[in-house]
Structures are given as structure tokens and as C-alpha cells.
Amino acid sequence: MGGFSAGAGDRVFSFAGVAMAVLDDRGTVMRWSGAAADLLGWAAEEVCGRPVRDLLARDCPKLSGNGVPAGDGRALFRHRSGDSVAVGYRALPMEPAGESLLLIAPTSRVRQWGVEANILRAMLSQDRIGIGLHDVDLTVVWTNITPGMFAGAALPRGSRLTEVPNLEDAKAVEADLRRVLESGEPLIGRPLHMRSPQESDGYTHLSLCAFRVDDPDGTPEGVVALYADTPEQQRARRRQKVLHAASDRIGSSLDVTRTLRDLMDVLVPALGDVGWADVSEAVLGTEEPPRSAGGGDLHQRRVTVVPECDAESGALYRPGEPIPPLPYTPELGSVQRGRPVALDRETVANVLGEPTLLDRFVPEHGHSGMWAPLFARGLLLGSVTVWRTGHREPFQPEDAELLAEIASRAALSVDNARRYARERRVAVALQRRLLPPATTQGPAAETAGLYLPAGGDADISGDWYDVIPLPSFRVALVAGDVVGHGLNATAVMSGLRSAVRTLADLELDPSELLTHLDDLVQRLGQEMEEDNSVGATCLYAVYDPVARTCVVAGAGHPPPVEVRTDGTTRVLRFAPGPPLGVGGLPFETLTADLEPGSVLALYTDGLLDRYDGDLDAGLRWLTDRLATMCVAGSDLADVSRRFLAELGDAPRRDDIALLLARTHAVPAEDIGDWEFDADGSVVSDARHAAREKLAEWGLEELAFTTELIVSELVTNAVRYAGGPVGLRLARNDVLVCEVTDPSNTQPRLRRALWSDEGGRGLFLVAQLSTRWGSRYGRSGKTIWAEQPLIPRDVDFAGLV
């Protein structure tokens, strides 16, 4: 095939192998071409002047009476060697009249031309195969592509592919054709996408093949491009598109209902027109469904119907409604064994066995459907059904395979969501059980706590708060956050909470308590596997209602916020230590004076995560909200509920723990405070001072036991520690006696032998009080003892 452009010298057909001769009106050869000499072996001088009839091996029936061939046909010529050559010929009359041009070609070549012409005619007659002939400039010189062939696009002569408005990546296509023209390598099966409103996905998908056309000398003269509409490729691409959408959307949520809604949004309308998903009631309750076979009540409930208008306006079961028992049929058995089945109205009627239920299981105008199980780990979690309505073609076997594959993926996601919901429910229940009561009331403070587990797709973390009553009317306020998620974080939180309570009983300084807790977290991290490393933050504060001070230390935790009674706020900022488990760095404390009635707020960082990680902005928001809500006289439980309402139901990435404590103070009139020198004579003075204060308070009935406790404790301080010796009595719900000395020696309780002259002091204190203990300050120690305000009977005879 020659060139396609209309320039001078360009050929539109290859005449290689065609012999030519010019005859006069009597059939005499006047001119003889070189191709004729090659074909028949006769030189021009041997045949010119001779009748063409002499060159025939036998008579040709189409020779006229004067020996001139007419029209076209076949003949048998004599080769100079004596052999016969079968040829096809065509005689063309020439001007001036009387001469004619005789074209001769071997019969095999003529037959090949005919086959090629027939092939070309057959190709050009196909309405799903477009042909474009491009010259060396890629301009279209011939085409059969009409506007109605592919998505309304035409390819007129003289145009370029870049001028086709709805062809995507036209420049890239032309670049590919240019490479074919330059390299000679054919282009096979290149996908093309043309925008089309007739297709479900808005595109017509074509396959492009292209090859170069050369002249007999091998010079490139153009490119032939074949455009084929391939339904198989379209179906394969649609299948791939649906699978891609399924993998992209299904499983992105850890909620069973949301997962099934995402599944139906993928299937409708890509695969069907109406669809719904049913799931076992056990799965909705985070339990495993029972293994079942045969008919009966499958205990399934409808979760979603798509489109929603079909559920609202039609007779179909609506979301939330239970699915009635089904009799056993082969179709039900297939689904229970994990295989999809094809449906039509008649099949559904047979499955139901009850014609009145047909409209509840088949949508209006539904003619072709598929029913696939949500099957995972050998359990039927639920099922999904898709129907086609209207004029859409019925489902094919490959559609059932596609639905089964998607349903299988969705079943794993549903099972994962169920198992996650179960673990999360257990973790939340465990964590709530580990937290103290939501509200507490004590001599040091009234408290209200709030805990919100992470919502949406986030895992539950190990956030916690605690309120720990301490001796001498003090209270420890704790907030912490364990790194990690799920039951593991909850278990670590439980261990840390128990450790804090144990260490708090030792009445350690907050910084010293965090140091011991840091060592514990490091040991836990060494004992656990590498992928389950332990880390946590913690804030520990001790409020003393007698001194009206709060001592705070933190390990990588945000600082507490104080709301004063006048509505002003301050953040108790201090040098924060590293998170627990880092080790090697000290923890520092802050001592702050708190006025009675002020509110101290401890919280975890999840409460600040409102501004895309900007914790400073979150702290400003929290401080503002606390100032607004924690007005004087406000109920802290009500404040917690208002915080809960303001946080709303929006998904949260982290747990939230908030502890609010309104401080109390022991009135000055309920405190007696004295200081004595380290002299044995001060013991009687201490007893006298205690007796007078008890009389002032109307607690004379406690005078005898209190004097014994004061006498023993002051005597030990004078004898073993030196002065000054401090004595304090304070009353609230109990009577507390405290003796302070400058020694750091740990007091020891022991039972003295009958022959010992001493060593019974602390033993007496322990027997006369409900509890006793000691704590250490920056210099010295304090030994304390508590007694109930109503005296109890004491067997003094058994103490000696």
C-alpha cells in the first residue's frame, strides 16, 4: 500500500509485478514493458510488431475479431522457455482511439489482490472496528469512523487525534503512533478511554492497534490505526473497578453496620440496582453466630438497604427488622455452605414457600438477583442480596463469581469488626470497673470524674484517673495515660493504678513516687515482647486541706488547671519529667497554695486533641471552658455531664479522662498546733495542751487515749530525734494526732519482752488508734495516728 497524502509523486497503489503492453487497433504489440519481459521472458524487440495472439499458449475467448483483448479476464501466455504462464489481464482503451493498454499479472498475484480486497472490505464493513489511515504527519487521510460508532466521536479526513474532543490523553496516543512510525514496531492493545454518557461509568473503552506502512523501497509512508470496541475488556475493567472500590472502602471501618453499608455502596449501582445486607443478631451483639444448617430461624436482622428510598417506599424489609424463618431449600443450603446462588422471582417464591412474602424479598421490577453469604471461618455471619431491575441484562455466571469474591472480603471485615467491638467492649467494661466512683466526697475535696473511650475507628487506650484518700485528711489525685491500645493497654493501666495506690500508702513524695513507678514501667517493658513495649504518662498531686497546699509532679503529662473561686484560672506549670519507662532523669515537684473552693482539673491529652495536634490551643480551650462551667457553687457532676454533652458523639482518636476536684480546708478552729524543745519535761506540756484542746472541742472522752498517744510519740521524738518537736491535733471525720521531728530514722513496731523496760511505745499507739504511720518531708518525718471521734473500748490490761 502506498502513501496516503495527496502530494505529487505519492502513490496510492503498488504496481510492482504488473506487466504492461500497448496494442494497436489490430492487436499488434507496439510497446513492451520491462516487467512484461521479466514475466514472460520475451524482450521488447522480440515481440514488438507481432500480434499479441502469437504470445498466447491457447486461444483467449475474449479476443475481438481483430485480435484485440477486451475487458478483463484470465489467459494462458507462452513463456520464451516454452512453459505456460497463467495470468490475469485487463485491457483499457486509450486516446487517441484505436490503441489499448494491456495490464498483465500472474494469476497468483491477482488472487492475492482479491483476497486482500475482500479482507479490507470486510474490515471496513465492521461497525465495531474503526480504521484510520494516517500519513507521516499523522493527519487522517482516510477513515471509516462515523459519529455514531464510538461515543459520538468522529474522525474526519484531514483531522488529527488531538482534535477529537472526548478522547482522553490524545497527545499520548499520537506520541505512541509517532513511535510506531519511527521504529516500525507495531502497537498492540493500547487502551483508550472516550467519554460517553451512554456507559455506566461514563466512558467507552477501546483497544488500539497500529502498524506502519512502507513503500516497496521500505520508506515509511504512514500508519494504519485500528480501534476496536471490546466488551470483554470493558467487563474486565468494570470487574477490576468494582474490586478496587471494594478493597478501598470495605474494611476501612471497625463497625459492623458501617462495614455493611460500605459494601452495599460498592455493589449498587455498580453491580445491581437494589441490594441489602442481613447479619446475624449474634454478630450485632459482638458474639459468634452458631453453626447452623437446614431451614428455620436464622436469627438474622436487616442492616441496610440501598437505595434507601426502596426501603422507605417499598414492601422490602427495612433496616432493623428481623428476617423470618426460611424453609430448607437447595439455595439456602448453598448459602449456608458459603456459596452464592442466582435468583429470580420464581426461585425466591420456591425458597419462601409463602407467596405473600414475595414482595418483601424481591424489589419491584426485580428480574435477576444474586444471594451471597457473608462466610468467614466456617460461620455464616449474614448474607448480601443484589437485584437488577428494569431493562438491565440478567446476571451472568461471572457476576456471581465477582459477588462471591467481594462478599468473602466483606465477611472477613465484618468478623474483624465484630471481634474488635467485642474486645473493645470488654476493655471499656474492665477499664470502667477499675476507675473509682464517678463522684467522691471527702474531707479534702469533692471530686467528679469523666472517662470517654476513643470512638470511631480508633482503639481504646489506657487512660485513667484515681482519687486516693491519704492520712491526715489529705487526698492524692492521679491522672495517667498508657501508650498502646486495647486489652493490653487496659491491663497495663490496671497494674500501674494498683502500683500507684500501693506507693501512695507509703506516703512518698510525688517525685519519689514517680521514680518508683518509672522503675516499674521499665521492668514491665523488659518482661514484655519488643512489639508490646510499655510506656505511660502520669500526673500525681497530693492536696493537704490543713496546710491548703498541693504538691504536684508529672511524668510527661500535661499540667493541671486551677479554677479559683473568683472565676480566674491558672495552669500549674512545672518542669515536666520524662514519660514513665524512659528512666535516668529526675522528676520535679511544684508546691502551690490552693484556696478552699477552688477546682483543680486533671486530664489526659485526648481532651486537648481538638485542633489537629495543637495542644496549646487545646489547653486554651479547656481553660476557657473550665472557667465558664466551674463557677462557685456549681455541681461537679453536672459540670462533667456538660463536658460530655459538649464533646458530643464525634469519633475521637484517643481516650479522654477528666478529674475535677473542688478543694476543702480544715478550719483553723479545728486545728491545734504546738512546737516544743527536745527536753523530757515537754512531754507533760504536750499532754496538757492536747487535753485542753480536746476539752475545747467537746471530745473529753478521747482525752485519756489521746494523752497516751501524744506522750509516747513526743517521748520517742525527744529521745531519738532531738528538737524541735511539733505536735498537731486536727479534727474532721476523725481525730488526727501528728508529731514531727527532724530525724529521718524509720520507726519500727515491735513486741517487747516482759522483762524489757521499754520498746512498747509504738505498740501502744497501734493498739489505741485505728491506724498509724509515718511520712517523710524534705527534712525530718511525721508520725501520725487516727482515732474515731466516738471512743472505742480498749483492753488496757492486755497492753502490758
Side-chain angles (χ1 to χ4, degrees):
M1 190 170 291
F4 306 131
S5 60
D10 290 333
R11 294 172 292 173
V12 297
F13 190 82
S14 175
F15 288 90
V18 178
M20 291 177 286
V22 178
L23 309 180
D24 62 11
D25 56 354
R26 294 186 298 274
T28 301
V29 178
M30 299 178 61
R31 294 179 179 82
W32 187 255
S33 69
D38 293 337
L39 177 63
L40 299 178
W42 301 99
E45 56 271 18
E46 293 179 297
V47 297
C48 287
R50 297 176 56 184
V52 71
R53 186 189 301 270
D54 293 347
L55 299 178
L56 296 175
R58 63 186 182 191
D59 290 339
C60 179
K62 289 191 176 183
L63 288 178
S64 60
N66 56 4
V68 178
D72 55 14
R74 295 184 181 183
L76 197 64
F77 275 78
R78 287 188 300 106
H79 193 274
R80 193 174 186 281
S81 64
D83 296 332
S84 298
V85 180
V87 301
Y89 68 87
R90 168 166 288 188
L92 304 174
M94 300 178 61
E95 295 296 338
E99 295 184 352
S100 60
L101 176 64
L102 183 64
L103 303 177
I104 306 171
T107 302
S108 59
R109 177 65 63 85
V110 174
R111 185 179 297 111
Q112 180 182 353
W113 288 338
V115 171
E116 292 174 351
N118 292 334
I119 293 174
L120 183 58
R121 278 194 297 271
M123 291 181 61
L124 297 180
S125 65
Q126 300 296 317
D127 60 358
R128 302 183 77 119
I129 299 178
I131 301 177
L133 309 181
H134 303 258
D135 63 11
V136 292
D137 295 326
L138 300 183
T139 301
V140 178
V141 297
W142 189 93
T143 180
N144 71 334
I145 300 176
T146 61
M149 185 176 291
F150 301 131
L155 192 65
R157 297 184 183 184
S159 66
R160 301 280 294 268
L161 289 178
T162 52
E163 300 172 14
V164 179
N166 53 349
L167 176 63
E168 288 196 346
D169 299 328
K171 291 184 179 180
V173 177
E174 277 203 350
D176 291 340
L177 295 183
R178 175 67 62 186
R179 281 191 288 271
V180 172
L181 185 65
E182 294 173 353
S183 66
E185 293 291 331
L187 178 66
I188 306 297
R190 186 201 193 280
L192 297 181
H193 306 288
M194 304 187 75
R195 291 183 294 276
S196 170
Q198 289 80 25
E199 295 293 329
S200 60
D201 59 358
Y203 287 89
T204 292
H205 305 278
L206 305 176
S207 177
L208 170 63
C209 296
F211 55 90
R212 189 177 72 185
V213 177
D214 299 336
D215 67 8
D217 298 329
T219 302
E221 295 193 331
V223 177
V224 177
L226 304 178
Y227 305 87
D229 183 9
T230 56
E232 294 78 9
Q233 293 186 16
Q234 289 192 35
R235 285 194 292 268
R237 278 189 287 269
R238 289 193 188 116
R239 174 188 175 91
Q240 197 64 30
K241 182 178 180 180
V242 174
L243 288 175
H244 182 271
S247 62
D248 184 57
R249 296 195 59 176
I250 300 173
S252 61
S253 171
L254 287 173
D255 178 77
V256 171
T257 301
R258 175 64 183 277
T259 298
L260 293 175
R261 286 176 181 168
D262 290 342
L263 167 64
M264 297 315 303
D265 287 341
V266 169
L267 297 178
V268 178
L271 197 60
D273 301 303
V274 181
W276 54 80
D278 304 328
V279 71
S280 171
E281 294 176 347
V283 173
L284 293 175
T286 73
E287 302 295 336
E288 284 195 354
R291 296 182 183 272
S292 60
D297 193 348
L298 302 180
H299 301 285
Q300 291 188 357
R301 191 172 294 272
R302 184 137 302 170
V303 174
T304 182
V305 178
V306 180
E308 294 182 2
C309 58
D310 283 76
E312 296 173 356
S313 61
L316 298 172
Y317 286 102
R318 299 185 179 186
E321 289 190 281
I323 305 303
L326 299 175
Y328 178 78
T329 61
E331 290 79 11
L332 177 59
S334 294
V335 171
Q336 290 177 329
R337 289 189 295 272
R339 295 194 292 268
V341 296
L343 301 174
D344 53 36
R345 298 186 72 89
E346 182 179 356
T347 302
V348 175
N350 293 335
V351 170
L352 296 176
E354 180 59 49
T356 58
L357 294 176
L358 186 60
D359 291 339
R360 306 216 67 183
F361 284 87
V362 180
E364 186 178 7
H365 307 303
H367 61 83
S368 179
M370 292 186 296
W371 185 20
L374 296 171
F375 203 73
R377 298 185 296 109
L379 299 173
L380 182 63
L381 307 179
S383 63
V384 59
T385 307
V386 182
W387 281 88
R388 285 182 175 175
T389 62
H391 301 291
R392 201 164 179 179
E393 64 179 8
F395 285 116
Q396 303 299 318
E398 56 266 23
D399 296 321
E401 295 176 1
L402 176 59
L403 178 61
E405 182 174 351
I406 295 176
S408 177
R409 296 184 184 182
L412 292 177
S413 297
V414 168
D415 193 47
N416 288 338
R418 177 198 65 80
R419 298 169 72 177
Y420 163 78
R422 178 177 174 81
E423 178 178 324
R424 184 174 184 274
R425 186 184 66 178
V426 172
V428 169
L430 176 59
Q431 193 153 359
R432 290 190 186 278
R433 292 291 298 272
L434 292 173
L435 295 176
T439 59
T440 64
Q441 188 69 254
E446 60 174 299
T447 66
L450 168 68
Y451 170 71
L452 287 176
D457 295 336
D459 289 320
I460 181 173
S461 301
D463 292 21
W464 91 93
Y465 64 86
D466 206 350
V467 179
I468 307 173
L470 297 177
S472 302
F473 311 123
R474 297 172 305 135
V475 65
L477 306 173
V478 189
D481 186 356
V482 174
V483 176
H485 309 286
L487 287 174
N488 182 67
T490 302
V492 173
M493 181 273 284
S494 173
L496 292 183
R497 179 174 180 264
S498 299
V500 170
R501 281 185 163 265
T502 301
L503 294 171
D505 284 343
L506 299 177
E507 299 191 73
L508 301 175
D509 179 81
S511 61
E512 187 176 355
L513 182 143
L514 291 181
T515 300
H516 286 287
L517 201 61
D518 180 61
D519 294 338
L520 172 63
V521 173
Q522 291 185 63
R523 289 197 301 271
L524 288 175
Q526 294 171 359
E527 293 171 0
M528 300 181 71
E529 299 177 359
E530 293 183 1
D531 56 347
N532 288 323
S533 58
V534 179
T537 66
C538 184
L539 182 71
Y540 186 79
V542 175
Y543 173 67
D544 185 344
V546 176
R548 303 180 183 183
T549 59
C550 183
V551 183
V552 185
H557 204 85
V561 176
E562 178 196 5
V563 183
R564 301 185 181 95
T565 55
D566 60 0
T568 60
T569 62
R570 67 166 171 166
V571 179
L572 302 185
R573 298 187 182 276
F574 55 91
L580 299 175
V582 174
L585 295 175
F587 299 99
E588 298 185 11
T589 58
L590 167 72
T591 301
D593 294 328
L594 299 182
E595 60 178 325
S598 61
V599 176
L600 192 65
L602 284 70
Y603 51 90
T604 56
D605 57 4
L607 190 60
L608 307 181
D609 191 13
R610 299 176 59 86
Y611 299 95
D612 296 328
D614 188 346
L615 298 184
D616 290 335
L619 183 57
R620 289 193 295 270
W621 169 85
L622 174 62
T623 303
D624 178 70
R625 300 311 298 142
L626 288 172
T628 302
M629 296 182 183
C630 297
V631 296
S634 60
D635 181 71
L636 294 185
D638 182 61
V639 173
S640 296
R641 287 189 290 269
R642 291 174 61 188
F643 258 104
L644 183 63
E646 187 158 326
L647 293 172
D649 297 328
R652 290 171 292 276
R653 291 179 292 182
D654 197 3
D655 286 9
I656 291 175
L658 172 65
L659 176 62
L660 301 175
R662 176 172 282 120
T663 59
H664 298 163
V666 177
E669 58 268 22
D670 289 338
I671 302 173
D673 213 340
W674 305 272
E675 185 174 282
F676 303 99
D677 294 330
D679 189 291
S681 62
V682 302
V683 176
S684 60
D685 296 336
R687 289 199 305 265
H688 177 73
R691 183 170 58 252
E692 286 189 343
K693 180 59 69 174
L694 291 177
E696 179 185 331
W697 290 339
L699 299 176
E700 292 88 349
E701 294 180 350
L702 296 176
F704 182 71
T705 55
T706 303
E707 284 188 57
L708 284 177
I709 292 173
V710 170
S711 178
E712 294 298 335
L713 294 181
V714 172
T715 298
N716 285 343
V718 170
R719 180 176 300 173
Y720 300 111
V725 177
L727 171 64
R728 174 183 290 170
L729 292 181
R731 68 167 180 171
N732 193 275
D733 56 341
V734 295
L735 177 66
V736 175
C737 174
E738 295 181 344
V739 174
T740 303
D741 62 56
S743 173
N744 288 323
T745 302
Q746 172 71 35
R748 294 175 57 196
L749 176 66
R750 67 186 182 90
R751 182 179 293 272
L753 300 176
W754 67 270
S755 59
D756 291 342
E757 295 183 0
R760 296 178 177 86
L762 288 180
F763 180 75
L764 288 173
V765 172
Q767 297 302 312
L768 296 174
S769 60
T770 54
R771 61 174 181 162
W772 74 279
S774 64
R775 62 179 178 270
Y776 295 89
R778 295 190 177 276
S779 60
K781 67 177 179 297
T782 298
I783 302 178
W784 55 268
E786 290 183 0
Q787 299 178 80
L789 297 181
I790 300 176
R792 60 193 181 95
D793 295 332
V794 179
D795 182 10
F796 291 97
L799 299 181
V800 292

